[in-house]
Every structure is written in structure tokens, then in C-alpha cells.
Amino acid sequence: MLSKTAEYALRATIYIALKGSEENKLGIEEIALGIDSPKSFTAKILQLLTQNNRVISSVRGPNGGFYLTDRARKLPVKAILEAVEEASVITKCVLGLKECSETRPCPMHTQYKNIKKQLKQMFEKTSIQQLVDEFNKGNYFIDNLKGVRKPC
Amino acid sequence: MLSKTAEYALRATIYIALKGSEENKLGIEEIALGIDSPKSFTAKILQLLTQNNRVISSVRGPNGGFYLTDRARKLPVKAILEAVEEASVITKCVLGLKECSETRPCPMHTQYKNIKKQLKQMFEKTSIQQLVDEFNKGNYFIDNLKGVRKPC
DNA sequence: TTAAAAAAAGATATTTGTGTCCTTTTTTGC
DNA sequence: GCAAAAAAGGACACAAATATCTTTTTTTAA
Ligand code: FES
Ligand code: FES
């Protein structure tokens, strides 16, 4: 469905929105640990997301790091996909035709268009903050289980 | 959503089911032309689909080519994805966590699971023949518009 | 039985995605 | 100012996906 790049972009952004703020910026080390992703690769992805402060804001130097502004928190999840150039997932033909259209539909179009519509809705109508809120309801995760957990 | 490999696999299989039969097998040249795909690469993909006659049947030599048995026509579209090892699209976590589960859900899980369910339905409940039937209703396409069409 | 046709198989090339590492720039606090 | 911290940027490495080309095997029909 999505590339590793997009997956890390989504997880990293959620993590930063979740744990960071302008007063408490997060470093790449912590972010990569928090979402189980390769550190340097994630750094590269965050560069894409910080271009023009589109989604993520960053400050260099001591006490620097990444955070999300209130404006950014209101952005749709789609904004993250756009930053990594993968928003086309919500417009493409499932069979890979150059165009997905009603006037020149593929044999799966009728079925797939409903799914695509919901995908579109999900990415366009859900804000980053909504995902944070969802997470904060408890028992949600953005990392992988690592090692063995001690029984309580 | 899907790789080029999967897209070509789907289009090629539909094309063969559509235009071919045991009496009229199709050559790779025609297939690639019919679905707008690179010939040699498509040949490789058809090799995956013909392993053990899983989805596509083939015969070498003069008058040889590709076709679908009646059994194969009844297979779900998912069988094509399985042949190219891409059926995981209907089970994976949208944020790329190792497991998608109710017990360890990501913040998009609640929304995405409905979409995933429909994707699963589409690929599992739709047979190859159903796509052929859909196509045969008319005004469906499996190739790209090429060149300029003369006005009528 | 041989030549031709066609897919299968193998080898290789190219591009893209994923990932790491090193250097540079910016920022801060002393 | 200076040293340290942190992101930004650049260069490189490796793997996977995409694509092409050549050789081999199978099959048919003349
Ligand atoms: S044309 Fe294929 S999904 Fe719309
Ligand atoms: S856990 Fe992420 S989609 Fe189910």
C-alpha cells in the first residue's frame, strides 16, 4: 500500500505530535527509537517534511529538534503523504492505467472506486491531531514490540 | 497501492481470460500490446502466473501461447496477487507496523480496518471471470489510450 | 527429421527505494 | 568568541523493482 518512506513519515509525524511541542522538541535519536525506524533514513524523511515547515518544524543547535505547530496539527494526514510524494495512492487506477476515470474505467473500477473514496476520506478528513487523540485514548501503538516483556 | 508487477499481472490475466481460450492461445507479443506493458518484463510475470498452472496455462511451440482454464476463471483475483507475492496488501498495517491487530492497533487502525475489509472482499470475492463479464458489458478498458484518435 | 515458433530460463542492465556515514551549518550557553 | 549540540546536506552503499536481451527447451507441422 505505502512505501517504507511514507510509513516512517506517518509514524514519525504522529510520534512528534504526540510527544513533542515547541517547548520540548524531539531529537532524531528519540524519534527513530520511538517508532522503530532506521535513524539516518528517518532523518532524511524528516527533511522532506520540514521543507517550508510544511508539516514539521525544526530548530538546529542545542535544545533543537522537531515539533509540530498548532497549525500543523490541524493538517490532514494527506499532507504527510504529499510531502513524500505518495498522495497519488488515493487517485490511481488499481490496475495501473494512466488515468482512473468514469469515462474510461478498468474492469475493477466500479468496485474499487468506493474503496478509493474511503481512502481519500480517511487521508483528507483525518487531521494529525485526531490521530494523536485516538492514540491518547490508550492502547494504541506506533512502534513494534521489541524483546520480551516481563510479565507483571 | 500495487507494484507494476502486480498491475501487469492483473491486466495480463484479465486480457488472456478475455481474448484467449484453449483453442485460441495468446502470444506474449499480443498480450503486451493489449495491455500496454513492456513485453519481456510481462513474460517474466506470466512465468510466475503459470508456475504449476496456478492461474495461467501455457503451451510452447507453434500455436502455443497462454490461456485460462475454466477452473482458473473461477479463481478469485487474489490468486493473481498471491502468484506475484503481493497479497499482503490486504493484511498489512497501514502505518507499517509488523502486525495489524485489534490487540495492538495503530492510531489509524480503527478507520483503516474497514477499508482493508473491503479490499479483502474485493480481491477474495471477485473471480477473474467476473472481471471479464464486467469488461464485456462494454466501455471498459484495460489498456491506455495511445496516439490520437480520429474524430468520428 | 528438420525448421520454425513459441514459451522458459538465464544473464545482465537500469532505476528506484532503502539505508548509512561523514561533513557543514546553525544555534545555544558558557 | 568558543565549544558543544543538533539538524541539514551531501556522498555513498546496498537491495529490490523494473526492464531488456540472449540462449535453451518444447512443440508442431511440413
Ligand atoms: S480506472 Fe481502474 S480504478 Fe478507476
Ligand atoms: S494496526 Fe495499523 S492498520 Fe491495523
Side-chain angles (χ1 to χ4, degrees):
Chain A
M1 164 71 73
L2 297 174
S3 67
K4 289 283 173 202
T5 297
E7 290 171 353
Y8 297 151
L10 291 166
R11 303 227 297 272
T13 305
I14 296 169
Y15 185 87
I16 296 166
L18 201 60
K19 304 251 189 172
S21 66
E22 185 151 13
E23 302 77 46
N24 179 34
K25 308 188 197 76
L26 306 181
I28 185 62
E29 185 93 41
E30 173 185 355
I31 295 163
L33 272 173
I35 66 169
D36 264 330
S37 68
K39 189 173 72 166
S40 298
F41 187 44
T42 307
K44 280 274 175 270
I45 295 166
L46 291 189
Q47 280 183 39
L48 295 171
L49 288 157
T50 50
Q51 309 271 351
N52 313 111
N53 285 2
R54 254 208 298 196
V55 178
I56 295 177
S57 305
S58 69
V59 175
R60 300 196 216 190
N63 293 312
F66 300 92
Y67 66 98
L68 263 77
T69 62
D70 287 344
R71 176 198 64 79
R73 288 168 186 275
K74 297 194 186 102
L75 289 174
V77 175
K78 186 186 175 189
I80 301 168
L81 298 182
E82 283 169 345
V84 296
E85 302 193 303
E86 224 154 309
S88 60
V89 72
I90 59 184
T91 57
K92 275 181 46 179
C93 166
V94 69
L95 297 191
L97 298 185
K98 286 220 184 72
E99 303 265 318
C100 169
S101 75
E102 292 295 328
T103 53
R104 211 170 178 284
C106 72
M108 296 201 74
H109 177 83
T110 307
Q111 281 191 76
Y112 185 62
K113 74 174 170 186
N114 293 303
I115 294 173
K116 216 171 55 165
K117 190 173 169 185
Q118 289 168 67
L119 261 183
K120 197 165 136 75
Q121 289 269 328
M122 177 174 76
F123 288 130
E124 288 181 349
K125 305 291 189 209
T126 307
S127 69
I128 295 169
Q129 185 58 46
Q130 278 179 283
L131 294 182
V132 171
D133 295 343
E134 178 81 358
F135 185 96
N136 283 332
K137 286 185 189 164
N139 276 105
Y140 285 92
F141 304 84
I142 56 179
D143 64 342
N144 288 303
L145 218 43
K146 350 169 215 264
V148 183
R149 296 290 155 95
K150 284 196 207 108
C152 313
Chain B
M1 163 73 70
L2 297 174
S3 66
K4 289 280 175 203
T5 297
E7 290 172 354
Y8 297 152
L10 291 166
R11 302 225 299 272
T13 304
I14 297 169
Y15 185 87
I16 296 165
L18 201 62
K19 304 253 189 172
S21 66
E22 184 150 13
E23 302 77 48
N24 179 34
K25 306 186 197 79
L26 306 182
I28 185 61
E29 184 93 38
E30 175 184 354
I31 295 163
L33 271 174
I35 67 169
D36 265 329
S37 68
K39 190 173 71 167
S40 299
F41 187 44
T42 306
K44 280 276 174 266
I45 295 166
L46 292 189
Q47 279 181 37
L48 295 172
L49 288 157
T50 50
Q51 309 272 348
N52 315 108
N53 283 3
R54 253 207 300 197
V55 179
I56 295 177
S57 304
S58 69
V59 174
R60 299 197 218 190
N63 292 315
F66 300 92
Y67 66 99
L68 263 75
T69 62
D70 286 344
R71 177 198 64 79
R73 288 168 186 275
K74 297 191 186 104
L75 289 175
V77 175
K78 186 187 175 188
I80 301 169
L81 297 183
E82 283 168 346
V84 296
E85 302 194 303
E86 224 154 309
S88 60
V89 71
I90 60 184
T91 56
K92 275 182 44 181
C93 166
V94 68
L95 297 192
L97 297 185
K98 287 220 183 72
E99 304 264 318
C100 169
S101 75
E102 293 294 328
T103 54
R104 211 171 179 286
C106 73
M108 294 201 75
H109 178 82
T110 307
Q111 281 191 74
Y112 185 61
K113 75 173 171 187
N114 293 304
I115 293 173
K116 217 170 55 165
K117 190 172 171 186
Q118 289 170 66
L119 262 183
K120 195 166 137 76
Q121 290 269 329
M122 176 174 77
F123 288 130
E124 288 180 350
K125 306 289 189 210
T126 308
S127 69
I128 295 168
Q129 185 58 47
Q130 278 178 282
L131 293 182
V132 171
D133 294 343
E134 179 81 357
F135 185 96
N136 283 332
K137 285 185 189 164
N139 276 105
Y140 284 92
F141 303 84
I142 202 175
D143 64 343
N144 290 303
L145 217 44
K146 358 177 210 257
V148 183
R149 296 289 155 95
K150 285 197 205 106
C152 311

